[in-house]
Amino acid sequence: MQQTLFYVDNEPAKIIFRSKYQKWKYENNYQKADYLSDIRCKNCKYLIQRQLSKNYYKCQLLGESSSPATDVRLSNVCKNFEFIVK
């Protein structure tokens, strides 16, 4: 059996996720948005703002908990983005 950092027997190594939220973000291509683009979480219809001692931003599609794992950044975007309809 030949094993390297990224391949085991010429098969890509399996990604191990620490949580279901980390897996969701990976599968939905959650990443930093383009600098000049309006396509970002800040303009998405699924964004939820929770105001406690400070503001916490959550995504309806990701789910909501009291954990920082479900927090989203306003400057990021995923493949499920949809503009807010006004």
Side-chain angles (χ1 to χ4, degrees):
M1 176 197 316
Q2 183 179 357
Q3 183 173 352
T4 65
L5 183 60
F6 300 107
Y7 289 90
V8 176
D9 291 332
N10 295 326
E11 294 287 328
K14 187 174 183 178
I15 298 173
I16 299 172
F17 298 103
R18 292 178 292 190
S19 71
K20 65 181 182 179
Y21 305 115
Q22 185 183 30
K23 184 178 179 182
W24 185 92
K25 288 179 178 182
Y26 177 80
E27 290 172 348
N28 289 286
N29 200 22
Y30 178 76
Q31 62 185 357
K32 185 88 171 157
D34 291 335
Y35 179 67
L36 299 174
S37 175
D38 283 340
I39 299 175
R40 50 182 68 208
C41 288
K42 178 172 77 173
N43 301 322
C44 184
K45 77 176 192 177
Y46 299 114
L47 182 70
I48 303 170
Q49 178 182 355
R50 294 285 177 238
Q51 189 171 3
L52 300 171
S53 59
K54 62 181 194 174
N55 291 329
Y56 296 94
Y57 299 98
K58 309 285 185 176
C59 178
Q60 291 176 353
L61 302 176
L62 177 57
E64 211 177 322
S65 73
S66 300
S67 167
T70 58
D71 290 354
V72 295
R73 294 183 179 185
L74 297 180
S75 60
N76 287 7
V77 69
C78 75
K79 70 178 183 180
N80 300 313
F81 174 84
E82 292 184 33
F83 276 108
I84 300 170
V85 179
K86 293 182 181 181

